[in-house]
């Protein structure tokens, strides 16, 4: 086989191993979700070798999607880390064979503390499965490795089962984008969902007009503001807004009479406004829906506090 053919076969083998998991989802999966949902402590994921690497990723996924979780190597437990566990926790133990010696020596300590064990292995008859509260079967027909030795399909199947567990828990918890953002405040999604109008709004040198102002004077103020708009203020509240487009259309319509017209002749009486606490993600939706480039930030009395433009929403 060529290198390309080997790659394709590997992907096919691992994809099939993942699809085969569907038939293995049974009541044990529901029980595992229920155990974690009613856990008053944390989920402690453990495993050795490749299973340990997969376990660390599963723990990270659970933790970032609303389930307090972390990974611990069972070898570390024998050297003082047993104190991280307490009654009320749940242990997720991962071993493809279900017979890993280091993991099995760790199990009696967990049982003694009356901590439930969710086992994830490829052997439902293993000692790990026997002593677990529930067992998630991640067995595979064969490894993608041509020697059927190196953990390939089995580690992929285990990883996917972990993702399935995390997704089921997200749905149970009604986990929302806002929740995700709180666990990922440094990412793009986190910034969009946590940043508010008051964080990015322009507050200085705002293009303030009056409804009675002639359009010739208004053009100058709109140009100086560099936002492509002017806000008409009357009695300290917003009376309307004009844009570059409004001005161009007015020029085409009135021609020589243009300079005799006032802001009130062309302004939009109900411009789109948001509160200072409005999330940038919501402002983006408003801009996209109404095909606009700016929104006005106002207080409860419709007084102008600032302006958010489209560029401020690009985080």
């Amino acid at each position: 086989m060529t290198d390309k053919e080997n790659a394709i076969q590997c992907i096919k083998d691992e994809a099939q191993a993942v699809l085969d998991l569907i038939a293995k989802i049974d009541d044990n999966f529901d029980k595992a979700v229920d155990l974690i949902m009613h856990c008053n402590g944390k989920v402690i994921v453990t495993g050795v070798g490749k299973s340990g690497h997969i376990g660390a990723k599963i723990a990270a996924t659970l933790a970032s999607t609303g389930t307090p979780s972390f990974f611990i190597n069972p070898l570390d437990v024998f050297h003082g880390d047993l104190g991280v566990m307490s009654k009320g926790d749940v242990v997720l133990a991962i071993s493809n064979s279900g017979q890993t010696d280091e993991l099995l020596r760790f199990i009696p300590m967990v049982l003694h503390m009356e901590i439930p064990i969710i086992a994830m292995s490829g052997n439902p008859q293993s000692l790990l499965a026997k002593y677990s509260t529930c067992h998630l079967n991640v067995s595979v027909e064969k490894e993608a490795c041509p020697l059927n030795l190196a953990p390939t399909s089995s580690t992929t199947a285990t990883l996917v089962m972990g993702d399935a567990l995390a997704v089921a828990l997200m749905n149970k918890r009604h986990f929302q984008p806002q929740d995700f953002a709180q666990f990922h405040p440094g990412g793009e999604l986190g910034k969009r969902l946590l940043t508010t109008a008051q964080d990015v709004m322009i507050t200085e040198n705002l293009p303030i007009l009056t409804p009675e102002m002639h359009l010739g004077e208004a053009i100058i103020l709109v140009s100086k503001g560099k936002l492509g708009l002017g806000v008409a203020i009357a009695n300290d509240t917003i009376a309307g807004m004009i844009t570059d487009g409004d001005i161009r259309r007015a020029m085409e319509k009135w021609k020589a009479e243009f300079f005799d017209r006032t802001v009130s002749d062309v302004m939009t009486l109900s411009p789109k406004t948001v509160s200072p606490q409005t999330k940038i993600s919501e402002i983006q939706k408003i801009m996209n829906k109404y095909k606009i480039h700016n929104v006005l930030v106002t207080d409860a009395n419709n007084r102008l506090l600032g302006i958010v433009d489209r560029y401020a929403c690009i985080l």
Side-chain angles (χ1 to χ4, degrees):
M1 294 177 69
T2 65
D3 292 340
K4 182 178 178 181
E5 290 170 337
N6 279 322
I8 291 172
Q9 187 59 51
C10 175
I11 292 171
K12 284 183 177 180
D13 289 342
E14 296 204 16
Q16 188 60 54
V18 170
L19 290 174
D20 289 344
L21 287 179
I22 296 173
K24 299 180 177 70
I25 299 292
D26 55 17
D27 292 343
N28 279 284
F29 188 87
D30 293 332
K31 191 171 183 179
V33 172
D34 190 62
L35 276 173
I36 296 175
M37 278 297 296
H38 292 90
C39 169
N40 295 319
K42 52 204 172 293
V43 176
I44 299 172
V45 185
T46 187
V48 179
K50 302 295 189 300
S51 293
H53 295 309
I54 297 300
K57 189 277 178 185
I58 292 174
T61 299
L62 289 171
S64 68
T65 52
T67 300
S69 175
F70 65 88
F71 174 81
I72 186 171
N73 189 312
L75 297 175
D76 294 332
V77 173
F78 303 121
H79 300 283
D81 283 358
L82 186 62
V84 301
M85 293 192 300
S86 60
K87 199 167 184 178
D89 292 342
V90 170
V91 166
L92 172 58
I94 303 172
S95 167
N96 185 46
S97 68
Q99 301 289 133
T100 306
D101 182 62
E102 297 90 342
L103 197 61
L104 292 178
R105 285 191 287 131
F106 165 66
I107 297 303
M109 305 179 194
V110 180
L111 295 176
H112 178 72
M113 297 176 70
E114 298 181 350
I115 296 175
I117 300 171
I118 299 170
M120 194 180 291
S121 84
N123 183 2
Q125 308 305 318
S126 64
L127 288 175
L128 177 61
K130 177 181 177 181
Y131 289 111
S132 65
T133 309
C134 56
H135 177 257
L136 302 180
N137 185 358
V138 290
S139 60
V140 298
E141 184 175 339
K142 64 174 183 175
E143 298 287 3
C145 164
L147 301 177
N148 197 31
L149 295 174
T152 45
S153 298
S154 58
T155 49
T156 299
T158 304
L159 183 63
V160 170
M161 184 65 80
D163 286 343
L165 198 57
V167 169
L169 288 163
M170 288 175 70
N171 287 322
K172 278 275 190 179
R173 299 185 195 281
H174 304 291
F175 200 77
Q176 299 299 314
Q178 293 87 340
D179 302 312
F180 189 87
Q182 290 178 347
F183 288 97
H184 301 77
E188 178 184 346
L189 177 63
K191 290 179 181 177
R192 283 195 287 112
L193 292 175
L194 297 179
T195 303
T196 62
Q198 65 184 353
D199 295 325
V200 298
M201 67 183 182
I202 299 166
T203 58
E204 297 181 357
N205 302 317
L206 297 178
I208 303 299
L209 318 174
T210 65
E212 299 80 18
M213 183 180 292
H214 283 92
L215 290 178
E217 184 181 355
I219 288 177
I220 297 173
L221 293 177
V222 170
S223 178
K224 285 184 177 179
K226 298 181 180 180
L227 292 172
L229 60 82
V231 184
I233 302 294
N235 299 320
D236 292 328
T237 62
I238 297 173
M241 184 180 80
I242 64 171
T243 65
D244 284 338
D246 295 327
I247 293 172
R248 288 195 301 271
R249 286 185 289 272
M251 285 180 172
E252 293 173 0
K253 179 179 180 181
W254 287 308
K255 297 181 173 59
E257 298 178 11
F258 171 80
F259 291 97
D260 296 325
R261 297 290 179 168
T262 64
V263 170
S264 62
D265 291 326
V266 299
M267 69 184 185
T268 299
L269 297 178
S270 301
K272 299 305 175 188
T273 63
V274 298
S275 73
Q277 291 74 41
T278 304
K279 301 291 192 298
I280 288 300
S281 58
E282 291 302 315
I283 293 176
Q284 287 179 319
K285 291 178 183 178
I286 293 171
M287 290 180 175
N288 292 334
K289 179 178 180 180
Y290 295 101
K291 295 179 172 58
I292 57 178
H293 299 284
N294 303 272
V295 294
L296 309 182
V297 184
T298 62
D299 64 13
N301 296 314
N302 199 36
R303 288 180 295 205
L304 182 66
L305 300 177
I307 299 173
V308 176
D309 67 9
R310 181 175 290 275
Y311 298 106
C313 296
I314 302 174
L315 299 174

